[in-house]
Amino acid sequence: MVKVTIWGSLRSATDGVAEVEVEAANFKQVLRELERNYPGLQSQIAAGVSLAIDGKIYREAWFTPVSPDSEVVLMPFMVGG
Amino acid sequence: MALDTEKREFKILGTRPLRPDGVDKVTGRALYGADMSAPGMLTGKILRSPHAHARIISIDTSAAEALQGVKAVVTANDFAKASNSFMQDGLDNCMARGKVLYHGHAVAGVAAVSEAIAKQALKLIAVEYEVLPHVTEILDAIKPDAPVLHPDRNFKRLPEGTAANISHTTDFGHGDVEAGFAAADLIVERTFKTEATHQGYIEPHACLASMGPDGKADLWCCTQGHYNVRGMCADYLGMNISQLRVTASEIGGGFGGKTTVFIEPVALALSRKAGKPVKIVMTRDEVFKASGPTLSSLTDVKIGMTKDGKITAGYAMLRYQCGAFPSGTIDLGAMSAFAAYDLDAVHTEGFNVMTNRPREAAYRAPGAPTAVYPVEAVVDELCLELGLDPIDVRLLNAADEGTKASYGPTFEAIGLKATLEAAKAHPHYSAPLGPNQGRGVSAGFWFNFGGNTSVSLSLNDDGTVAVTEGNPDIGGSRASISMMAAEELGIPYENIRTIVADTNSLGFNDVTDGSRVTFAVGLATIEAARAAIKIMCTRVAKIWDIDPEAVTWEDGYAKPAGENAGKYDPMSLAEIAAIANKTGGPIAGHHEVNADGAGVSFGVHLADIEVDPETGFTKVLRYTVFQDAGKAVHPSYVEGQMQGGAVQGIGWALNEEYIYGEDGRLQNAGFLDYRIPVASDLPPIDTVILEIPNPGHPYGVRGVGETPIVPPLAAVSNGVSRAIGKRMSALPMSPPKILKVIKG
């Protein structure tokens, strides 16, 4: 199981839990399992999110691997100027 | 793509060759958005709302259409329904649908044979409005009885009891903040205000659109991302993407404000209707009224500190005003606010609130400057109260490799401490100050990212190389890309020409934003060069009749990999290119990637400010920027980014603001009344580049473009506050505001 940290304003979709566990081996599977287990996250994930995996920020990188040892943090989709 | 494991001595990176666009730009040969023209071209003009908020009852265009010389008139009815709500917001910002939401909102477009006729036609368009109550300020917009901009949409009334103008809420942090405050020896809590500013690019938005009767279209425009323009315009015009080719012109500044569309879909719709090319060039008045200002903000910050300078807890409540459409910039602000600190307890929350102002557009490090400013100002106040050195305190609390960032992840190798140490050791920090002078310190942070990138690299038969990339050059990227290609191929910089291709000539590229281009396009260029090298080595192996693995590439030559490979005279790139048609055909390399690993960026700024206590007039006496740039490819461009960001931040801190009247109309839509800093206002901006290699790039390159605008707001504010002996908490710090604080 991979632990995923959820940022505060999304925790209403995870019953207030800051860190949830999902069965996943890559970026895409993390999002799929989050959507499946926490339907309240679907709209945010559809609008766009990033994942920080072991400190590195990924956008839309479906096949980036994650493991039970990975630090995985759900983040907003990063934009810039 | 990781940092190359083999340590290399760069031959070209780190040098300062002439910029490839320099001669064109100083001689007037460079073609900007307004320089494009086409046979039979019409002039497009846009009718804009005189009201801040009104329902459109009717639009009668018949008189305008009947005017001789008018070839087309368009309104919202001439566009398709966008593919999703975010895209629809972009379209509705380009052309009002049902309601006008701010002073200057587009209502109709006209194409005519001359500008005079187009202007005359605008006057003949009869728009019947039902004027609605308007709201332009944050606290007014959240009142329960505030005018609601989008009553038909399901925006939650959060925080509870507010008007339905809040589009987005946010919440980040970790640890027990209350316990942290309980452990503090001193707590400072203060509210800070910033005003909306404009990116202030010199070149107004301009485009030329041409659509044929078969539906194929070409668009030339000044933009930071022509693939994004293509996607948005195709969506808005109901076109197949392949039928629209977009070419980016040279760009006279963008800074985030040219990452979306304003006039481009209108020009295309007019061209479609008129059957002729249509050019639209915004006036400066239109640029201010209808293109991307940044947010304004109202932020409460509370920080606790021990007597020896350890921060025990930090809290911020951020409120961002985002103009007439939804925005999520508050996330980026909440994530950036405390990013420079290693904190056990931190909490940031906030919201974006919509008002009857132009839609917020990105501006360098969107959301970060207005979040970092109040935090850095409170840290400065705590240092003053406790008699502590502001850099020592930042070093004591600095985020470092292994720190759990305030927004969640654990930092990899970062350069903040090295940057702070460089600032402390610099002569600027120990230089004496005179009366009425203060020195401000601020750290700053930005995420950076990589993104989708395509690069193609081709060998010419004379041994020169063409590099084709797809990101408009807003900060010297053509030079940097040429340098990285030259470094990898082992040929002179002068032998390479890098161009920015149109959307049909190269695979997709994300917008030039997020400080991504030197990092991501550079990375793709290196990979494209390596692909070409592999082909060259294979060709040479065939010539020598040995295995391809027995050929290596070194300093621009294919050579036998070792003694066992045999003895052959090395072949240069030029020699290989010259016979390419005999060895298998043209030689090229390309690379397509969604690049990650950009690595976050930190900077530290020092600002010496003098304040005239009689008038409140400020003078920036000395300013130094310290920043971790990773490997600086072309140091002059890196310095230029650091200086440019500092100057824009100084303007934000001291002068720039959108001013609205009681009627909701913008009062200062021009550079005479909206004052950006000019050279005579500023000292030379000194720069110190720290080169801590980015582990996510083969050469260690890190994005540098956005971080420099983050620290100046607080650096200047802290300098002014120390100069006058009182804490400033609102920007811009114009002389009347400073005088008011001085006089209590």
Side-chain angles (χ1 to χ4, degrees):
Chain A
M1 297 289 269
V2 177
K3 291 176 182 162
V4 184
T5 303
I6 307 295
W7 81 84
S9 36
L10 294 185
R11 288 179 197 158
S12 58
T14 59
D15 297 327
V17 177
E19 190 174 81
V20 300
E21 291 194 356
V22 295
E23 192 74 56
N26 62 31
F27 181 114
K28 183 173 188 289
Q29 290 172 11
V30 169
L31 298 191
R32 187 191 65 198
E33 291 304 304
L34 285 174
E35 286 186 306
R36 192 201 311 262
N37 298 341
Y38 307 98
L41 294 176
Q42 285 173 1
S43 60
Q44 178 66 51
I45 290 173
V49 291
S50 309
L51 281 186
I53 301 172
D54 294 328
K56 210 181 288 298
I57 300 171
Y58 294 87
R59 302 191 312 173
E60 302 174 323
W62 275 10
F63 308 119
T64 304
V66 296
S67 71
D69 296 335
S70 302
E71 178 198 68
V72 181
V73 180
L74 188 67
M75 291 171 59
F77 189 76
M78 305 305 296
V79 296
Chain B
M1 193 174 173
L3 183 68
D4 284 351
T5 49
E6 189 180 330
K7 189 172 169 60
R8 61 193 294 169
E9 294 296 324
F10 293 113
K11 293 185 170 66
I12 294 171
L13 263 64
T15 64
R16 300 172 187 250
L18 285 176
R19 55 190 298 166
D21 52 336
V23 171
D24 284 356
K25 285 181 174 169
V26 298
T27 58
R29 184 172 170 272
L31 296 175
Y32 290 88
D35 293 326
M36 302 307 295
S37 61
M41 183 177 80
L42 305 173
T43 298
K45 298 296 287 182
I46 292 175
L47 182 68
R48 298 187 179 279
S49 168
H51 306 295
H53 194 192
R55 197 177 317 283
I56 300 171
I57 306 297
S58 64
I59 305 175
D60 183 353
T61 60
S62 55
E65 285 165 325
L67 182 67
Q68 191 166 11
V70 171
K71 302 297 182 185
V73 180
V74 296
T75 66
N77 293 334
D78 291 279
F79 297 89
K81 182 174 168 54
S83 56
N84 60 51
S85 63
F86 176 77
M87 293 290 274
Q88 188 67 48
D89 288 340
L91 173 56
D92 292 347
N93 190 45
C94 293
M95 190 61 70
R97 184 172 53 105
K99 284 210 307 184
V100 289
L101 296 168
Y102 57 90
H103 176 216
H105 198 169
V107 176
V110 167
V113 296
S114 72
E115 183 176 355
I117 293 173
K119 283 181 173 176
Q120 196 181 342
L122 292 185
K123 292 177 184 169
L124 296 174
I125 297 173
V127 185
E128 186 184 350
Y129 293 105
E130 176 196 350
V131 177
L132 301 169
H134 64 270
V135 62
T136 56
E137 300 299 325
I138 293 171
L139 292 181
D140 294 336
I142 60 174
K143 286 178 181 167
D145 58 349
V148 174
L149 275 79
H150 300 280
D152 52 333
R153 292 170 69 169
N154 186 28
F155 294 115
K156 292 174 186 168
R157 288 174 177 265
L158 291 171
E160 213 165 307
T162 56
N165 286 324
I166 290 173
S167 73
H168 203 93
T169 59
T170 197
D171 191 313
F172 284 89
H174 59 256
D176 186 340
V177 175
E178 289 312 313
F181 286 128
D185 293 315
L186 180 64
I187 294 171
V188 168
E189 189 171 7
R190 201 175 269 284
T191 298
F192 294 83
K193 191 169 189 282
T194 70
E195 297 298 341
T197 58
H198 195 275
Q199 294 83 349
Y201 31 81
I202 300 303
E203 183 200 21
H205 296 270
C207 69
L208 169 64
S210 179
M211 188 182 295
D214 57 358
K216 291 190 183 70
D218 284 281
L219 177 69
W220 297 264
C221 60
C222 62
T223 175
Q224 289 177 239
H226 44 310
Y227 293 83
N228 187 47
V229 169
R230 179 184 64 172
M232 295 182 82
C233 288
D235 195 46
Y236 299 165
L237 274 291
M239 295 173 67
N240 183 323
I241 284 178
S242 68
Q243 301 308 302
L244 175 59
R245 179 174 62 169
V246 183
T247 306
S249 69
E250 289 288 348
I251 186 167
F255 313 113
K258 292 177 181 169
T259 55
T260 186
V261 296
F262 298 99
I263 54 175
E264 296 81 358
V266 182
L268 278 165
L270 286 167
S271 177
R272 178 165 64 183
K273 210 164 188 177
K276 288 176 175 293
V278 175
K279 180 155 90 173
I280 298 179
V281 181
M282 271 192 176
T283 63
R284 183 62 59 186
D285 183 79
E286 288 179 295
V287 169
F288 274 104
K289 285 178 180 164
S291 77
T294 184
L295 55 93
S296 60
S297 70
L298 188 68
T299 301
D300 307 329
V301 168
K302 181 179 179 183
I303 300 176
M305 191 177 277
T306 62
K307 283 178 188 167
D308 57 359
K310 188 71 186 165
I311 297 175
T312 58
Y315 169 76
M317 172 70 198
L318 302 110
R319 307 169 193 87
Y320 281 4
Q321 178 278 129
C322 59
F325 294 94
S327 168
T329 344
I330 196 68
D331 280 334
L332 302 173
M335 294 163 74
S336 302
F338 287 97
Y341 296 98
D342 182 355
L343 303 177
D344 291 334
V346 58
H347 182 201
T348 54
E349 58 182 331
F351 55 80
N352 279 107
V353 60
M354 294 176 285
T355 66
N356 294 112
R357 294 190 185 210
R359 184 189 195 199
E360 175 201 348
Y363 186 18
R364 278 180 124 148
T370 44
V372 169
Y373 152 61
V375 169
E376 290 295 281
V378 169
V379 168
D380 191 63
E381 189 169 354
L382 284 159
C383 293
L384 267 175
E385 292 281 330
L386 294 170
L388 300 169
D389 178 273
I391 291 186
D392 285 343
V393 166
R394 285 174 174 84
L395 275 167
L396 179 66
N397 295 285
D400 203 353
E401 184 173 2
T403 293
K404 182 178 171 61
S406 57
Y407 56 91
T410 301
F411 282 129
E412 297 183 288
I414 54 174
L416 176 59
K417 280 191 173 173
T419 311
L420 285 162
E421 281 160 359
K424 188 165 188 202
H426 194 274
H428 181 167
Y429 196 57
S430 52
L433 290 165
N436 303 315
Q437 295 177 3
R439 176 166 299 138
V441 177
S442 176
F445 160 87
W446 183 243
F447 301 94
N448 295 338
F449 55 77
N452 294 290
T453 306
S454 305
V455 167
S456 177
L457 179 151
S458 314
L459 271 59
N460 302 316
D461 59 11
D462 63 353
T464 60
V465 170
V467 177
T468 306
E469 54 130 330
N471 278 94
D473 179 354
I474 62 173
S477 56
R478 278 169 295 188
S480 300
I481 299 314
S482 292
M483 290 172 76
M484 283 186 264
E487 186 77 50
E488 194 63 33
L489 294 170
I491 63 174
Y493 164 81
E494 293 75 16
N495 285 9
I496 296 177
R497 184 174 182 191
T498 298
I499 65 142
V500 180
D502 65 64
T503 52
N504 267 44
S505 303
L506 190 67
F508 181 82
N509 285 273
D510 277 333
V511 173
T512 299
D513 69 348
S515 303
R516 76 175 210 88
V517 172
T518 306
F519 168 78
V521 181
L523 183 152
T525 300
I526 293 165
E527 282 298 297
R530 288 176 180 174
I533 286 170
K534 193 172 179 185
I535 296 169
M536 286 191 283
C537 288
T538 303
R539 301 281 178 92
V540 170
K542 284 183 179 173
I543 293 168
W544 292 342
D545 199 17
I546 61 176
D547 287 341
E549 293 75 28
V551 180
T552 189
W553 190 261
E554 195 178 311
D555 294 333
Y557 287 84
K559 298 177 179 176
E563 288 186 4
N564 292 341
K567 287 199 172 180
Y568 302 96
D569 289 336
M571 289 187 72
S572 70
L573 182 146
E575 290 171 319
I576 299 165
I579 56 171
N581 56 340
K582 298 184 177 72
T583 61
I587 296 175
H590 63 95
H591 193 70
E592 295 76 31
V593 66
N594 186 358
D596 291 301
V600 301
S601 167
F602 290 91
V604 174
H605 291 203
L606 300 179
D608 290 0
I609 314 289
E610 183 173 83
V611 181
D612 181 341
E614 300 296 320
T615 64
F617 176 76
T618 49
K619 186 173 184 185
V620 182
L621 301 171
R622 186 172 182 179
Y623 201 100
T624 309
V625 179
F626 304 83
Q627 188 171 322
D628 169 19
K631 178 62 193 172
V633 178
H634 191 307
S636 296
Y637 280 121
V638 174
E639 290 160 0
Q641 291 287 346
M642 292 159 72
Q643 291 162 332
V647 170
Q648 289 189 304
I650 290 169
W652 203 336
L654 291 177
N655 297 105
E656 298 179 37
E657 62 178 317
Y658 265 48
I659 299 171
Y660 281 88
E662 290 291 318
D663 57 3
R665 293 186 171 113
L666 183 62
Q667 303 292 298
N668 59 335
F671 278 136
L672 279 177
D673 298 314
Y674 178 98
R675 196 172 182 286
I676 62 171
V678 296
S680 56
D681 294 321
L682 298 163
I685 308 291
D686 292 327
T687 55
V688 176
I689 302 171
L690 287 91
E691 294 187 288
I692 298 154
N694 174 15
H697 187 279
Y699 292 170
V701 171
R702 197 183 288 278
V704 297
E706 292 172 289
T707 300
I709 202 172
V710 181
L713 281 61
V716 174
S717 177
N718 293 343
V720 170
S721 299
R722 285 175 179 254
I724 65 175
K726 293 184 176 177
R727 182 58 47 181
M728 294 296 297
S729 58
L731 305 183
M733 295 176 291
S734 53
K737 281 188 191 165
I738 291 177
L739 212 50
K740 196 174 171 187
V741 172
I742 290 174
K743 294 187 185 257

